[in-house]
Amino acid sequence: MPMSKRCIPYTPRSRELADSVIALVSTAGVHLREQEPYNVDGDNAWRLLPGDVSANQLMVTHSHYNHQDANQDINCVFPIDRLRELAAEGIIGGINDKHLGFMGYTQNFRDLYERVAPEMAKLISRSKADAVVLTAGCPLCHRVAAALAREIEMTGLPTVFISVAPDQTKQAGPPRVLAPQHFKLGNSLGGPGQRDLQRQVLLDALRRLEAREEPGRFWELEYPAYDSSQWQPINLQEG
């Protein structure tokens, strides 16, 4: 039986960040260029991404948010280069041997909750990962990513979700969230080419992962380096 959203699963970190292997899980529609694209009308199939994947091997298939920026720089929604830099500097212990891509626009929530999320969580829990960073695409993707975070926590791995749709995210009761203020959909960590900003957002997400705070606590942070002049409130009914 699925856990109530009022009861938020929470796994305390067991290792210091410098000793932790980090995995990425995204519902933003990320996949290898050689893999079958997602069905944008609704898809409950995930894509396994190798740990040593390079940014130019990845692409996005999704029609429910504007992923033009991610097309230019996949690190906007899938910070593989920034994570690799942190590993090289010894800030994290390493990068997981596998990551997961998903297109979080689904029409079958029963299958998502009863089969998909538990299977994805089990796959990551049986990898080398010590913790998981999640990102999302459209508003519905944020709800789905929160559900995945909950399932992963229930396997014994701590998670942190970088959310740019916090109101939609809160409905699903995720364990830990970093919410960059007034970032648009498709810019989970900032805009294309904003390496320093992407790095800072990721570092802050990892700080949220380290912090021993009550489950469900959101860190809502502002980033002056991000141009939010075109930001508009997100329609929670938007798919």
Side-chain angles (χ1 to χ4, degrees):
M1 179 180 295
M3 180 179 290
S4 168
K5 294 183 180 63
R6 294 183 180 179
C7 181
I8 299 176
Y10 183 82
T11 298
R13 62 180 177 84
S14 60
R15 294 188 177 185
E16 296 300 318
L17 196 58
D19 299 320
S20 297
V21 172
I22 308 296
L24 296 175
V25 173
S26 178
T27 62
V30 178
H31 61 90
L32 293 173
R33 294 183 182 278
E34 64 196 47
Q35 290 173 327
E36 181 181 355
Y38 300 102
N39 179 353
V40 296
D41 293 326
D43 198 331
N44 275 6
W46 66 86
R47 304 292 184 268
L48 183 63
L49 309 175
D52 61 355
V53 66
S54 62
N56 61 13
Q57 292 178 285
L58 297 168
M59 63 176 290
V60 172
T61 298
H62 209 306
S63 63
H64 302 278
Y65 77 99
N66 185 343
H67 53 81
Q68 180 178 350
D69 287 346
N71 293 345
Q72 298 179 49
D73 180 1
I74 200 70
N75 292 281
C76 292
V77 295
F78 195 83
I80 187 65
D81 289 333
R82 304 294 83 82
L83 199 66
R84 192 161 284 130
E85 290 162 3
L86 298 187
E89 296 170 28
I91 295 174
I92 61 173
I95 300 176
N96 197 36
D97 56 337
K98 59 189 67 173
H99 309 290
L100 291 177
F102 192 65
M103 201 279 295
Y105 186 84
T106 179
Q107 299 296 311
N108 190 341
F109 276 91
R110 180 173 182 176
D111 181 54
L112 173 73
Y113 293 133
E114 295 183 359
R115 179 187 66 84
V116 176
E119 288 182 0
M120 291 177 70
K122 183 182 293 185
L123 192 158
I124 286 293
S125 72
R126 292 179 175 177
S127 69
K128 297 179 179 180
D130 297 306
V132 180
V133 174
L134 297 100
T135 65
C138 69
L140 181 56
C141 295
H142 281 72
R143 179 177 162 190
V144 170
L148 292 178
R150 291 169 60 90
E151 285 290 340
I152 293 168
E153 293 270 347
M154 285 191 284
T155 69
L157 286 178
T159 67
V160 60
F161 176 20
I162 302 174
S163 168
V164 296
D167 290 339
Q168 186 80 343
T169 300
K170 288 174 182 176
Q171 296 177 6
R176 300 176 190 81
V177 174
L178 173 75
Q181 290 293 282
H182 298 163
F183 279 30
K184 68 180 182 180
L185 298 175
N187 281 187
S188 297
L189 290 94
Q194 291 191 292
R195 176 184 175 278
D196 291 343
L197 176 59
Q198 294 169 1
R199 173 189 172 92
Q200 187 58 56
V201 172
L202 183 55
L203 284 170
D204 287 338
L206 294 173
R207 285 199 303 115
R208 176 63 189 95
L209 184 67
E210 284 189 301
R212 296 185 181 277
E213 299 183 1
E214 63 184 44
R217 176 79 180 272
F218 278 57
W219 280 14
E220 299 188 32
L221 302 183
E222 295 184 359
Y223 294 90
Y226 185 77
D227 180 6
S228 59
S229 61
Q230 302 301 314
W231 179 85
Q232 294 181 345
I234 295 170
N235 179 359
L236 296 186
Q237 300 305 313
E238 181 182 348

